[in-house]
Amino acid sequence: MRAFVFPGQGSQKVGMGVELAGASPVAREVFQEVDDALGQKLSAIMAEGPEDQLLLTENAQPAIMANAIAVLRVLQKEGGITLTEVADCVAGHSLGEYTALCAAGSFTLADTARLLKLRGQAMQAAVPVGVGAMCALLGADLEKAQALADAAAEGQVCQVANDNDPTQVVLSGHREAIERAVAMVKDHGIKRGVLLPVSAPFHCDLMRPAADAMERALDQTPPGALHLPIYANVTASAVADPAEVSRLLVEQVCGRVRWRESVLAMRAAGVEHFVELGGKVLGPMIGRIDADATVTSVATMADIEALAKEIG
């Protein structure tokens, strides 16, 4: 069995998609469609920067999605691959869940771009700049991370945001609480705590206004039928019902990204091969979760050609 997986925020960089657009008209069409849907030249920001514009959550989220869908469309149209014939399920990390739903036919490309733009804006607006923060705990499992979060909270929000793999957990919440957590890592047997360069505290209770905004947006643009089941971030289990998908996307804004558990659940269901499209971020995580899993990360034309040859 094979799963196609899609990266989340942090995988963006200036120059993303340039090689693909230069080599394939299919990729150029994707970037143009996203530009048209958003009424902005996002493709120019992706290609040329400036970096501070690309790092803005409202730009980074649709940009990462557009890049991954461009890779998928090139694989499909030029590599002759039909997703439903080569994949058994999809999954995505945080915003990557929207990319996965687009890949599975539940959202159009234009709707996915608009939803992610709104999601980025709503997440940024939910908490004033400087009030929230996130940190990565290196050498921490979920149990140690949870104990640290509880100890550092002191009445403020300090929650596990991402359970990425057995060695990396991310905390999110009030800046003071996150800074306390970083200062306390050694007391909890954790190797290192690193403040993340993010503009808002994602996946914690401070994001409630953004969850409300996404609930309204998804009422207006509900998910359609899925061609493949998706493993949802907040439940780490397969979902195929559009109404359930919509509910879980709202929950996901404040909820924990259970990536480690999602990968283990896919493995338990029989997935042996994970294909990451549009980045090389999830591949290493999956390798740390289960060293026996086969992982292919696909971001360039050479990667696409190699994968098409392998699975075609």
Side-chain angles (χ1 to χ4, degrees):
M1 287 176 68
R2 187 180 288 115
F4 274 59
V5 299
F6 300 88
Q9 208 153 329
S11 57
Q12 74 277 0
K13 60 178 187 287
V14 173
M16 66 194 295
V18 170
E19 185 245 12
L20 212 57
S24 168
V26 174
R28 291 195 294 276
E29 284 169 18
V30 169
F31 298 137
Q32 186 60 56
E33 190 175 337
V34 170
D35 284 354
D36 292 344
L38 299 180
Q40 72 172 121
K41 286 290 286 180
L42 183 64
S43 58
I45 297 171
M46 291 165 65
E48 301 154 19
E51 188 178 26
D52 63 342
Q53 287 297 303
L54 183 59
L55 286 174
L56 286 174
T57 302
E58 66 176 79
N59 290 332
Q61 294 199 22
I64 291 162
M65 180 279 297
N67 190 54
I69 293 298
V71 172
L72 175 64
R73 295 264 175 99
V74 173
L75 180 67
Q76 289 175 316
K77 293 188 180 174
E78 297 184 14
I81 300 297
T82 303
L83 191 64
T84 49
E85 290 176 5
V86 298
D88 298 280
C89 59
V90 293
H93 190 283
S94 190
L95 81 90
E97 201 154 78
Y98 285 80
T99 318
L101 288 163
C102 180
S106 186
F107 288 125
T108 66
L109 176 58
D111 282 343
T112 310
R114 285 188 286 263
L115 284 167
L116 284 174
K117 179 85 175 174
L118 176 70
R119 183 176 182 268
Q121 290 170 333
M123 285 177 145
Q124 190 60 69
V127 180
V129 174
V131 170
M134 298 178 77
C135 69
L137 304 177
L138 308 177
D141 59 18
L142 182 59
E143 196 176 338
K144 286 180 181 175
Q146 188 61 60
L148 174 60
D150 292 344
E154 295 183 13
Q156 292 185 305
V157 172
C158 187
Q159 293 169 267
V160 173
N162 301 3
D163 178 12
N164 284 335
D165 67 44
T167 68
Q168 188 197 95
V169 179
V170 174
L171 301 186
S172 183
H174 285 106
R175 175 167 289 279
E176 297 89 348
I178 296 301
E179 287 173 349
R180 283 194 294 271
V182 170
M184 294 162 65
V185 288
K186 291 283 193 287
D187 303 338
H188 288 262
I190 294 166
K191 190 160 69 178
R192 202 149 64 94
V194 183
L195 282 171
L196 294 177
V198 294
S199 52
F202 307 129
H203 300 293
C204 75
D205 288 345
L206 296 176
M207 287 284 111
R208 177 54 53 199
D212 293 341
M214 290 316 296
E215 184 169 22
R216 291 190 294 273
L218 289 161
D219 281 344
Q220 297 293 312
T221 309
L226 286 74
H227 302 321
L228 291 167
I230 184 169
Y231 276 75
N233 284 180
V234 293
T235 60
S237 58
V239 187
D241 173 54
E244 181 75 350
V245 165
S246 186
R247 187 180 68 78
L248 294 176
L249 286 175
V250 174
E251 207 175 296
Q252 186 233 58
V253 178
C254 296
R256 179 184 305 171
V257 176
R258 294 167 61 183
W259 186 251
R260 178 184 59 84
E261 292 174 81
S262 296
V263 171
L264 291 175
M266 286 183 269
R267 288 288 282 147
V271 171
E272 295 172 343
H273 185 195
F274 292 85
V275 178
E276 176 184 6
L277 293 189
K280 306 205 172 185
V281 178
L282 299 179
M285 285 184 199
I286 293 165
R288 289 189 291 270
I289 295 165
D290 189 335
D292 293 330
T294 302
V295 183
T296 308
S297 292
V298 183
T300 66
M301 280 302 290
D303 295 337
I304 291 169
E305 286 160 8
L307 180 66
K309 199 172 287 185
E310 180 192 342
I311 67 175

